[in-house]
Amino acid sequence: MVNSIGNSLQQFIGHRVDEITEYLMATNTTYKSLSNQCTQHFIQIQKYLPNDLQQTMLQYEETLLSLQAVIETHVYTQGIKDGMTLRGLLK
């Protein structure tokens, strides 16, 4: 049961992070600009890399995105815990 709750929480967090990202892309010009800049920099780097290093660059990006997902999940989970603690303190 604990594993099921953990899995459900992970799915919820993933869904919320996706929703928040979509919202930011639609409404936050700073986020959208930075995201576009990252994409353009990546394209430029890929263009000038030899073929054998392009795959390494893609693997680097995938690893970086996985690392970011771990951080996002941890921060979101900690935010939920902090909210519950704060609620308990305010009662």
Side-chain angles (χ1 to χ4, degrees), residues 8-10 12-14 16 72-88:
S8 295
L9 179 61
Q10 292 300 322
F12 172 76
I13 290 169
R16 286 296 293 143
E72 289 170 352
T73 300
H74 179 75
V75 168
Y76 200 95
T77 303
Q78 188 60 50
I80 292 171
K81 290 177 184 177
D82 292 347
M84 293 171 67
T85 300
L86 183 58
R87 181 177 181 205

Side-chain angles (χ1 to χ4, degrees), residues 2-73:
V2 172
N3 193 23
S4 177
I5 292 171
N7 289 339
S8 295
L9 179 61
Q10 292 300 322
Q11 289 176 349
F12 172 76
I13 290 169
H15 181 71
R16 286 296 293 143
V17 168
D18 290 344
E19 286 179 339
I20 292 166
T21 301
E22 288 176 20
Y23 175 79
L24 285 172
M25 283 299 289
T27 63
N28 188 302
T29 56
T30 301
Y31 183 89
K32 190 173 186 174
S33 175
L34 290 170
S35 179
N36 289 337
Q37 286 177 38
C38 284
T39 300
Q40 291 305 313
H41 292 314
F42 185 81
I43 290 169
Q44 283 294 108
I45 291 169
Q46 281 291 101
K47 185 166 54 171
Y48 292 105
L49 282 177
N51 289 339
D52 60 328
L53 289 179
Q54 287 184 8
Q55 184 62 34
T56 302
M57 187 65 182
L58 290 174
Q59 291 171 337
Y60 170 77
E61 183 184 34
E62 288 174 8
T63 304
L64 194 58
L65 291 173
S66 295
L67 180 61
Q68 182 179 348
V70 169
I71 292 168
E72 289 170 352
T73 300

